[in-house]
Amino acid sequence: MINFPTCKINLGLHILRRRNDGYHELETAMLELPFNDVLELIESEESTFTTSGLEIPGLGNLVLDAEAEFRIHKSIPTLAFHLHKLIPMGGGLGGGSSDAAFALKLMRDRYAPEIENESLKEMASKIGSDCAFFIDGGLQFATGRGEVLTPLNIDFKNLFVVLVNLGIHVSTKDAYEGVVPNNDRTSLKEILEKPIRMWKDSLVNDFEKSAFAKYAELEDIKNDLYNHGAIYASMTGSGSTIFGIFESEVESIQWSHKVMYEKYLKL
């Protein structure tokens, strides 16, 4: 069986306060985008996890965490996974979380179709803060540490988004260390209710300040997107991918930077 893990962008991200459990209370909106990895599951005599595409650092992977979590709830045979990695790591696109969530969906669809999405979300939330989002995907408002989700309705019809990634890997741990929590401001949800053209001056990602201080080229890309007609541009998640939302398809952009990839996606 094969499926295609998606990615996400964050429409604003407020770090509100540090929690007693060591996590941070936050609020953000996450929008699923159809830029995909490829994940394959087969039954095998030997449990394996192989990859192709972008190199994945480290020995572990959230796909294996998803398998371990699923086995707590359901007896399944020995499995082999292959992940073809296209979504950059450390770019704030949630690719690792998506891979885990889509692994859960593969195993559910093959071995336990009776398990509903709500139960799958509970499993996903134990793996990573963003994982539960990718069970339903779409556009959702997230609170808590990112796992408390409610559907959100914003009209993106006939808009286009550009993703730009320079291959800079931003550590989530380092990103949080550069943020000063702030719980005394206009709620993100209230800002998102305004027309998209009004987001530029009010919809912020708290990780941008420290990321831009360390990597000035990221702020340059954001400014370039605005200079080329974006109605809103921002860094997603803890970085380093920068995205711009446009009212018309962008035929070509002459960047002053070496861009790892550019992706034009109709929302």
Side-chain angles (χ1 to χ4, degrees), residues 123-195:
M123 297 183 207
S125 66
K126 297 176 183 177
I127 301 166
S129 297
D130 291 343
C131 287
F133 164 77
F134 288 101
I135 300 300
D136 286 334
L139 174 62
Q140 301 184 62
F141 190 73
T143 55
R145 55 184 176 85
E147 85 287 5
V148 181
L149 301 161
T150 55
L152 195 60
N153 183 27
I154 298 174
D155 184 11
F156 287 106
K157 186 177 180 181
N158 296 324
L159 295 179
F160 296 81
V161 63
V162 174
L163 304 180
V164 183
N165 184 289
L166 297 182
I168 296 171
H169 189 287
V170 176
S171 160
T172 301
K173 178 179 179 294
D174 292 344
Y176 270 100
E177 289 177 351
V179 171
V180 177
N182 180 1
N183 198 26
D184 184 22
R185 51 181 157 175
T186 304
S187 73
L188 195 71
K189 207 163 192 177
E190 184 177 335
I191 296 169
L192 288 165
E193 291 172 352
K194 299 177 181 178

Side-chain angles (χ1 to χ4, degrees), residues 9-56:
I9 55 173
N10 293 81
L11 304 172
L13 199 159
H14 287 177
I15 306 299
L16 303 178
R17 58 187 174 274
R18 190 172 181 85
R19 297 164 26 147
N20 292 333
D21 60 7
Y23 289 97
H24 286 82
E25 192 78 15
L26 59 83
E27 57 179 6
T28 186
M30 290 187 281
L31 175 65
E32 184 182 30
L33 294 179
F35 183 70
N36 309 83
D37 287 339
V38 183
L39 181 64
E40 182 181 22
L41 172 157
I42 61 172
E43 293 183 12
S44 173
E45 294 182 358
E46 183 181 0
S47 176
T48 61
F49 175 73
T50 56
T51 66
S52 56
L54 297 177
E55 183 178 353
I56 301 173

